[in-house]
């Protein structure tokens, strides 16, 4: 067992465990921390896959930003200790498991249709160099347009969030 | 030293996706639902990066870029969605998705 | 032991992002993936943990002495020469004190939080280039990774505040979170100025690039681009001050209001983790500012070759960096005992209405400066 | 563009037509802007129509000079109609036939010397009235609207003058009537003004009805409204009838003449004009002295070649004109309201013109139109100035001695009075002299037709009436001047009267100058006495060639003079009229009151305007209204109600059938649609729970199903 496989197993455990906690916990805060664990695990996966930049972005934006936002959201709403409804989860589970089965079948039944992907070759060696990622963002031939659209999206989200949040006579009125 | 097969990553991503889906479907709190959406987004991003990485350097670059866009999207989504949730709470004093029903009937 | 897990994972993470980098420990264990890097990660963790634990001990003594001077009293001077061992004694005392967990606390999170807080700190230490080769991990993403690790602390603090099941703790934690998330904006922009100027994210390459100017200071960022980098440095310093919850930005643990903020319920070894983190982060952010703006390990007026080459030279370089960082830490202590605490709205005003616009102006100005 | 203006006028071309279009459109533009934005413009927009009219005047003057200076002007420019390919500045309104030109309603410009004279008169008087109104109407609450109406009137009048088509002439004719209605009733708060404008509109409409019938007769026979074509067809019709004009043409001419009777206030439709003095005085000057009332004279002049085919109709014209001239003059002697005197004077002078036309003197009639425009506009504006200075006091008995207080007004009015009285070397002298000459030698038909001189002794009536009217004119005009300006003030207002501001006196001075010089041949050829009827050189009488059937307008050679008889008659009547006026009113040798008492019944009749208004009211208006009411009531009861009830019954039967259809078939369909909607809605409602998560579940299930189908079945 190589270090990589060990790391993978540890991260997989963390990721799935975080997801389960998110699903199963009785406190929203626990769920948020479970989400955090899961996101950190995904960041680890990115490292293993060679995408350092994305891993760090994941940590900065998701763990340092989005999860904190959720925590704020949790703190600003009343404690909600809802009972876990087995029935609801079971009903949803039918769909979810069906989806899982179909997805797995879709992937594992994909003989000869991998489009250049070699599932046994391993991650790309050397990883994604940050300079190349930056060039890809700024390349007219590559991702410049989506990049600009994303920047506009962020601006819109910023303005929109401010606008929604500053609504007159909000809670308590 | 054998590398980790791609299918392992995919399996984890699918599991994560299904967990997110379950959260979205079964929880009765808007904040939970948003968290489930985050899980789903992460799962899809992971699939992108994993496939990209197993295609080689160029594929990894594309996977990284798409993953970055998903992160951006998720950040914007979380911001707006949480603002809306807080507004809903301010109006209806509830974060249950079924409570804002002024338009119903 | 749960508390120790996250730091180790963080080091591993940092190590994993190393890529094709050069570092002392990688050289020792033979670079590459696999068990070698794991072993180097373990060793790196050990070294960094040692450094990161030792420095706060020194700083607590220094703070007490400096504050004593400023308040016209002596400060600790009984244990050891000049009272130097006083801090060690305090640490030992803390370790052997009873570790109290409140009855209604979330035990797991309560235990995890200090480790999480410390994890980011320790991992961040691995990224500081003490000299050209004395660096645990020379990540290509250096500064970016550092910022990510700093932002991780917020979660630990919120976790601690919530797990304590104490209103003061929770309030302090939320204040902390709001303050840190806000001040990450000017901080990130100022860090971006350094990145722009040197066209690299690596702190080691930044330090290298600042060698050999006029009198060996001309290439330091604040002198190279005095018009914009110097204000940016000031902004960064203020933002880092807020990020480390130091006075006058110490609202999260304002004694007079919140007893002790998010770590009110902590005691013993877990409290020492927070304590450690606070003082270690003072050094960390100072070192970050030094590496980016103040020439890193380079000595003024001496040629850059003095601090490269032999092992002795590298130790000298490390000492230079530490001295420069100490200077900044001293300013922090000085400020703490000089300025009164400011209100939360003033904190936010300062961040959004002054520091962020100034930082943006500096960023645009630097763009012009570099393209000029 | 060639073909449009292929005339022997080398310099007359496309640009001139554009100028005419500009003249027409400038006031329209001013009106459009003024009516909507006038109140928001600086100075409430009065400068806009004024400047527009000034521009139009300059353009008209240049056209007039072109027409006057040309050595050999052709009167009617036959080719001023649009060419076959409808290229050019003609606007095809209605096409009754596929071929262009003939019998179609085309708006085109017909420009001849008649038009040139009228354009000059209308634009100049209108411009001066605009300037005068700036002072006179100052402070009126509807000040901008007044200027807008003036613009509308000017546009209508210019269109009337410029059009080549009888139908468009009618349209502009009615537009003139409309704007006159608006302007007379401008102070509609006064009941008298509101009634006056209605009266003017309705009275002229009586004449217009006759004119419309005449137009229809012309259309019926000629299938065209184009003036030039009408004359051509008339000539051909005469040839076809064996050299004798068909009888209907006489009737048509008389009917068409009814329009001018109404518009030019001839007996018996003159009653509206004195009442129309309720309008603002500038309106009286513009409409009731210079332009609109002259439109009737202009129409007769325009249709003159047609009238010349019907000497009997010409006799009617001459008699109506001559009688009106005398009849109105007698009333004018007795009136005390300064504007009423001028109104009856206007009617009288219009009678002069009409009589001249009836006697076949086109040039004399139109020359008097022009000179009358100058001095009568001057008189009206002068009276406006007096009224302004007297603070809206119009009774001459309360005036007197204004000569010193209003010297400019006095001087200009005196000049105009001398002109209207026919004192030699003043403009009115030349035109009145020509009219007297024309009545002495009436030539009401084409010589080439050799028609019997119809009417016989009746033709001597104008010879008698016209000089008598001229004498009275001199008398009552000097009565007006003496009562107003001479002697001593007879009221407080007269003592406190003041001269008007310069924007009122300057138009007065201009018009006064024109009253002196405006008819003098000297102005045109530097000769004071040489060519008495010099105007005939400008406006040529038509000549009919019985052999070819062509009406032409040759330059006349025999217009140097007409002997001493008319000159002596003119001098005698003018001198005796003035002398009488001075005897009565200045030197008080005779007492007017005593004379009035001596002939009390006659005086009473004249003073009450021969009770014509009362006669109309008693014998026309009231019976008409009464019988009309009775008739309408009966009509309403039996016909309208019957129709309504019949329609109601029918509708009810239909509705019964439709109700059954509605109840069983339409409702059935509607209910079926509703039922189906309910069924589908009930099905759809199962999925429309309103619960977010149900939707997501469905979404996930659907996506899964798609994938299942995709991977297992495809």
């Amino acid at each position: 067992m190589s270090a990589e496989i060990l790391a993978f197993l540890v991260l997989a455990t963390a990721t799935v465990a975080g997801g389960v906690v998110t699903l199963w916990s009785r406190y929203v805060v626990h769920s948020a921390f479970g989400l955090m664990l899961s996101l950190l695990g995904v960041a680890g996966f990115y490292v293993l896959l060679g995408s350092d930049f994305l891993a760090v972005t994941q940590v900065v934006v998701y763990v340092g930003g989005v999860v904190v936002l959720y925590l704020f959201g949790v703190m600003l709403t009343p404690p909600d200790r809802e009972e876990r409804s087995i029935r609801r989860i079971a009903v949803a589970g039918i769909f979810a498991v069906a989806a899982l089965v179909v997805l797995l079948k879709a992937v594992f039944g994909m003989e000869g249709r991998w489009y250049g992907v070699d599932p046994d070759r391993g991650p790309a060696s050397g990883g994604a160099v940050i300079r190349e990622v930056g060039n890809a963002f700024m390349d007219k031939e590559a991702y410049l347009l989506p990049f600009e659209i994303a920047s506009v999206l962020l601006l819109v989200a910023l303005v929109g969030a401010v606008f929604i949040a500053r609504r007159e006579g909000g809670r308590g009125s | 030293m054998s590398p980790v097969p791609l299918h392992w990553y995919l399996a984890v991503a699918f599991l994560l996706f299904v967990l997110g889906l379950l959260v979205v479907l079964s929880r009765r709190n808007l904040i939970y639902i948003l968290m489930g959406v985050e899980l789903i987004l992460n799962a899809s991003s992971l699939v992108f990066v994993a496939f990209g990485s197993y295609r080689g350097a160029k594929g990894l670059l594309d996977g990284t870029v798409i993953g970055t866009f998903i992160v951006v999207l998720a950040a914007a989504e979380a911001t707006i969605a949480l603002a809306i949730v807080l507004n809903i709470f301010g109006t209806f004093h509830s974060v249950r998705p079924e409570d804002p029903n002024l338009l119903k009937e | 032991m749960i508390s120790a897990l996250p730091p180790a994972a963080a080091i591993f993470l940092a190590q994993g992002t190393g890529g094709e980098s050069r570092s002392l420990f990688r050289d020792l264990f033979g670079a590459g993936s696999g068990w070698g890097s794991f072993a180097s990660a373990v060793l790196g963790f050990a070294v960094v943990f040692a450094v990161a634990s030792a420095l706060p001990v020194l700083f607590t003594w220094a703070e007490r002495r400096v504050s004593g001077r400023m308040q016209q009293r002596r400060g600790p001077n009984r244990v050891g020469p000049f009272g130097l061992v006083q801090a060690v004694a305090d640490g030992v005392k803390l370790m052997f004190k009873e570790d109290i967990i409140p009855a209604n606390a979330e035990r797991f999170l309560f235990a995890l939080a200090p480790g999480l807080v410390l994890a980011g700190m320790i991992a961040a230490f691995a990224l500081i280039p003490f000299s050209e080769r004395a660096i645990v991990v020379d990540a290509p993403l250096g500064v970016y990774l550092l910022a990510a690790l700093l932002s991780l602390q917020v979660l630990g603090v919120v976790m601690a505040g919530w797990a304590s099941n104490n209103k003061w703790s929770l309030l302090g934690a939320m204040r902390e979170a709001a303050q840190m998330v806000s001040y990450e904006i000017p901080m990130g922009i100022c860090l971006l100025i350094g990145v722009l100027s040197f066209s690299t994210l690596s702190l080691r390459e930044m330090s290298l690039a600042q060698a050999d100017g006029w009198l060996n200071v001309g290439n330091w960022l604040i002198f190279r681009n005095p018009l914009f980098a110097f204000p940016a440095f000031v902004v960064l310093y203020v933002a880092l001050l807020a990020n480390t919850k130091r006075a006058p930005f110490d609202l999260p643990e304002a004694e007079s209001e919140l007893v002790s903020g998010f770590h009110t319920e902590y005691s013993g070894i877990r409290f020492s983790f927070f304590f450690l983190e606070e003082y270690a982060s003072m050094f960390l952010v100072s070192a970050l500012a030094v590496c980016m703006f103040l020439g890193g390990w380079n000595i003024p007026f001496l040629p850059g070759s003095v601090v490269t080459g032999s092992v002795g030279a590298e130790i000298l370089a490390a000492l230079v960096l530490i001295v420069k960082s100490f200077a900044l830490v001293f300013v922090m202590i000085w400020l703490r005992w000089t300025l009164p605490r400011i209100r939360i709205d003033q904190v936010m005003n300062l961040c959004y209405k002054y520091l962020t616009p100034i930082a943006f102006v500096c960023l645009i100005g630097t763009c012009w400066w570099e393209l000029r | 563009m060639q073909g449009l203006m292929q005339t022997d006028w080398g310099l007359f071309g496309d640009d001139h037509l554009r100028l005419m279009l500009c003249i027409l459109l400038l006031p329209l533009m001013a009106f459009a802007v003024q009516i909507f934005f006038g109140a928001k413009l600086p100075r409430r927009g009065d400068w806009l129509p004024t400047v527009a009219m000034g521009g139009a005047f300059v353009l008209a003057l240049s056209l007039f000079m072109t027409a006057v200076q040309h050595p050999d002007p052709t009167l009617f420019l036959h080719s001023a109609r649009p060419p076959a390919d409808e290229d050019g500045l003609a606007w095809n309104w209605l096409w009754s036939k596929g071929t262009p030109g003939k019998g179609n309603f085309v708006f085109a410009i017909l420009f001849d010397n008649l038009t040139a004279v009228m354009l000059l008169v209308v634009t100049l008087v209108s411009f001066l009235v605009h300037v005068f109104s700036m002072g006179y109407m100052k402070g009126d609450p509807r000040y901008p609207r007044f200027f807008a109406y003036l613009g509308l009137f000017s546009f209508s009048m210019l269109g009337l003058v410029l059009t080549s088509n009888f139908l468009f002439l009618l349209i502009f004719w009615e537009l003139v009537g409309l704007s006159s209605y608006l302007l007379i009733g401008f102070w509609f708060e006064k009941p008298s003004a509101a009634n006056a404008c209605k009266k003017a509109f309705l009275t002229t409409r009586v004449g217009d009805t006759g004119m419309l019938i005449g137009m229809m007769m012309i259309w019926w026979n000629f299938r065209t409204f184009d003036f030039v074509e009408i004359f051509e067809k008339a000539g051909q019709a005469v040839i076809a009838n064996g050299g004798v004009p068909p009888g209907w043409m006489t009737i048509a001419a008389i009917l068409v003449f009814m329009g001018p009777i109404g518009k030019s206030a001839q007996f018996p439709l003159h009653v509206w004009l004195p009442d129309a003095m309720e309008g603002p005085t500038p309106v009286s000057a513009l409409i009731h002295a210079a332009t609109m009332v002259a439109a009737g004279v202009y129409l007769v002049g325009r249709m003159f070649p047609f009238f010349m085919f019907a000497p009997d109709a010409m006799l009617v014209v001459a008699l109506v004109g001559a009688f009106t001239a005398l009849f109105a003059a007698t009333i004018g002697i007795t009136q005390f309201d300064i504007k009423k005197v001028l109104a009856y004077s206007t009617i009288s002078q219009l009678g002069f013109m009409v009589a001249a036309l009836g006697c076949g003197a086109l040039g004399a009639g139109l020359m008097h139109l022009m000179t009358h425009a100058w001095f009568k506009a001057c008189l009206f504006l002068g009276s406006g100035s007096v009224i302004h200075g007297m603070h809206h006091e119009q009774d001459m008995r309360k005036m007197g001695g204004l000569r010193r207080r209003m010297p400019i007004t006095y001087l200009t009015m005196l000049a105009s009075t001398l002109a209207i009285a026919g004192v030699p070397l003043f403009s009115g002298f030349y035109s009145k002299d020509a009219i007297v000459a024309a009545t002495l030698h009436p030539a009401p038909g084409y010589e080439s037709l050799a028609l019997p001189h119809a009417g016989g002794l009746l033709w001597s009536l104008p010879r008698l009436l016209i000089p008598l009217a001229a004498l009275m004119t001199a008398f009552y005009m000097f009565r007006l001047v003496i009562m107003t300006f001479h002697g001593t003030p007879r009221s407080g207002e007269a003592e406190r009267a003041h001269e008007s501001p310069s924007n009122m006196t300057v138009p007065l001075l201009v018009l006064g100058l024109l009253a002196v010089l405006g008819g003098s041949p000297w102005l045109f050829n530097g000769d004071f006495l040489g060519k008495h009827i010099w105007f005939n050189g400008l406006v040529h009488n038509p000549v009919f060639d019985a052999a070819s059937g062509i009406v032409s307008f040759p330059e006349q050679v025999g217009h140097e003079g007409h002997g001493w008889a008319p000159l002596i008659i003119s001098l005698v009547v003018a001198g005796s009229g003035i002398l009488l006026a001075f005897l009565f009113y200045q030197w008080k040798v005779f007492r007017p009151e005593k004379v009035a008492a001596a002939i009390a019944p006659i005086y009473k009749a004249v003073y009450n305007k021969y009770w014509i208004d009362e006669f109309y009211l008693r014998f026309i208006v009231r019976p008409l209204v009464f019988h009309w009411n009775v008739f309408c009531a009966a009509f309403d009861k039996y016909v309208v109600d019957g129709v309504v009830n019949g329609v109601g019954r029918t509708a009810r039967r239909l509705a019964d059938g439709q109700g059954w259809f509605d109840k069983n078939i339409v409702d059935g369909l509607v209910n079926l649609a509703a039922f189906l909607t309910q069924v589908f809605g009930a099905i759809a409602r199962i999925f429309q729970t309103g619960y977010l998560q149900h939707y997501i579940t469905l979404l996930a299930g659907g996506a899964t199903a798609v994938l299942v189908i995709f991977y297992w079945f495809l």
Side-chain angles (χ1 to χ4, degrees), chain D residues 175 260 265 540 548:
Chain D
L175 267 177
H540 299 179
S548 62

Side-chain angles (χ1 to χ4, degrees), chain C residues 260-281:
Chain C
S260 190
F262 62 91
H263 55 67
T264 304
E265 297 290 353
Y266 282 87
S267 60
I269 184 78
R270 295 184 209 283
F271 171 72
S272 74
F273 273 28
F274 285 118
F275 199 71
L276 224 65
E277 184 266 338
E278 183 176 340
Y279 282 90
S281 70

